[in-house]
Amino acid sequence: MDAQTAPDLHTTTAPPLSSTRPRSTLPRDAVSTTESVSNDVSFVVGKERRVIHAHRCVLACRCKVFHTMFSHQLQAAQSLHELQVPFVLADIQPDVFLAVIEFIYTNTVTLNSAIALEVLTSAVEYGLDDLRKAAVTYGQTDLKQRCLTFIEHHTREIIKTQSFRELSDLGVVCILQSDRLNIDEVPLIQAVRGWANVSSAVLDVSVSVVAQDVVRELRLCLLSPDELTTLERENAKDELIPEIQIAQTWKFHALKKIGDYQPHLFRRRKGTLARDHHSYLDSSAK
């Protein structure tokens, strides 16, 4: 595909084999919408009837479906002209087909949310298992990010739902790691306590055990000394938060200095209410 016809995809590259090697320009160099001496097969793709040229040997070697397609054409053709007739692929978008071609040439693929599902469908149809895996991985990541964005915008409402209380510990950890939660830390801690008590009852284990990974993501340093004192009293009832974690927070208040361990725990979230001691966070970050 040349510079004129390459899809303008501001996306992530999702290679199934390696994410460190530089992006190959082979598909751009080898596949185009204009005929050349090297291209020997053409496809008329989608409702737009976009013509895409490629190389039989590459497609046939890498994909059994294309190998079968070309073999049937060769057997049926009665003249050289018939071998040059383009294949019509009316039921696939050009950008989706180009993603399939990109994978066949380079074993990597560039995906975005507009084409990922159709690329997955095409991967199954063309028997490209690694492409299928890449599309599934992208889809899971994309769905996770969409869900997190929704939670970030509606945090106060989400934490009150039964669905929040039924989340796995990994799900809650993922939410708590976000800087963009639109909620203050005090009600967030209360929501985590509610979640932990429900999970403790369901799993028949102590609150401290069920929440051990989750509470590490609570940003206790955002609490004022008075709020921390209140938290200590509440914590004595269920031991949700390890004493050492609370002690480290008191140390922060005493020294007025951010520790080196997990600096993200000292960052304010989008919904964090201002406290006087937050000036220490700003000065320490400079």
Side-chain angles (χ1 to χ4, degrees), residues 44-198:
V44 179
V45 184
K47 296 178 181 178
E48 304 93 328
R49 297 186 62 79
R50 185 170 171 180
V51 179
I52 297 173
H53 302 280
H55 306 83
R56 291 175 184 267
C57 62
V58 176
L59 302 187
C61 288
R62 293 273 289 150
C63 175
K64 290 182 179 179
V65 172
F66 279 120
H67 184 277
T68 301
M69 185 187 301
F70 299 152
S71 296
H72 288 169
Q73 184 193 45
L74 183 62
Q75 292 170 7
Q78 297 181 359
S79 67
L80 181 62
H81 173 74
E82 290 184 13
L83 287 175
Q84 296 172 343
V85 174
F87 291 91
V88 178
L89 305 176
D91 297 330
I92 184 172
Q93 291 184 49
D95 286 347
V96 173
F97 186 68
L98 286 170
V100 172
I101 295 296
E102 177 187 4
F103 177 81
I104 289 175
Y105 274 79
T106 68
N107 221 41
T108 64
V109 62
T110 305
L111 297 172
N112 64 24
S113 56
I115 66 170
L117 183 58
E118 291 190 53
V119 170
L120 172 59
T121 302
S122 295
V124 174
E125 291 177 352
Y126 285 95
L128 300 169
D129 194 52
D130 281 344
L131 177 59
R132 177 190 62 78
K133 293 175 183 177
V136 168
T137 300
Y138 179 90
Q140 290 172 337
T141 303
D142 184 53
L143 179 60
K144 177 181 175 181
Q145 185 55 51
R146 286 170 181 260
C147 290
L148 183 57
T149 299
F150 181 83
I151 292 169
E152 289 170 340
H153 285 103
H154 305 278
T155 315
R156 295 185 185 91
E157 295 81 8
I158 294 294
I159 63 169
K160 298 175 183 177
T161 64
Q162 184 64 27
S163 295
F164 176 81
R165 298 185 186 94
E166 294 174 353
L167 282 173
S168 69
D169 57 343
L170 293 178
V172 179
V173 166
C174 179
I175 293 171
L176 294 182
Q177 288 174 339
S178 172
D179 293 342
R180 301 190 59 79
L181 297 181
N182 192 20
I183 192 172
D184 187 61
E185 207 68 17
V186 171
L188 189 58
I189 293 171
Q190 292 170 346
V192 168
R193 174 167 273 114
W195 166 85
N197 278 283
V198 170

